[in-house]
Amino acid sequence: MRAKWFYRKAELNILQYLAIKPLISFILIIVFLIDEESPVAMILHGIVFISVMLSVYYLVLFYQVLKEELAFARPLLKFISVKGVLFFTFW
C-alpha cells in the first residue's frame, strides 16, 4: 500500500510539469501582449521554477527508490535524459 502511494505521488509530481508549463506559457503570451513589464510575469516564472524543481526532486526520489530493482535496465541514462529535457525546456 505504501509503495502504491509513493508511486502515485511521484507520478503526479513529475507529470504536473507537463500541465503547468504550457498553461503558464499561454498565460505569459497574453500578459506580454497586454504589458511587457508586468510583475505578473515574474510571478508566473516563479511558478514554473517551483514546478521544475518539484518535478526534478521527485525524479531523484523515484530513481533512488527503484535503482536496485531496475538495475537490469540501467535507468541512470534515461533518468539523466528526462532531467536534461526538463532543464533545457526550463531555460
Side-chain angles (χ1 to χ4, degrees), residues 27-76:
I27 294 170
L28 275 171
I29 291 170
I30 294 170
V31 167
F32 280 131
L33 289 174
I34 295 170
D35 180 18
E36 283 189 24
E37 297 179 16
S38 175
V40 174
M42 194 61 133
I43 293 168
L44 293 173
H45 284 296
I47 292 170
V48 171
F49 176 75
I50 291 169
S51 173
V52 168
M53 293 307 293
L54 188 65
S55 185
V56 170
Y57 174 74
Y58 273 95
L59 275 173
V60 170
L61 282 180
F62 190 75
Y63 173 71
Q64 289 297 321
V65 169
L66 295 176
K67 70 180 175 184
E68 292 170 2
E69 288 85 359
L70 297 175
F72 69 92
R74 300 186 337 201
L76 185 59

Side-chain angles (χ1 to χ4, degrees), residues 3-27:
K4 286 183 183 179
W5 174 82
F6 171 76
Y7 175 76
R8 188 70 175 146
K9 187 174 180 181
E11 180 184 34
L12 289 174
N13 281 297
I14 292 167
L15 295 178
Q16 54 80 27
Y17 175 76
L18 297 176
I20 289 177
K21 179 64 176 178
L23 179 66
I24 297 294
S25 296
F26 180 72
I27 294 170

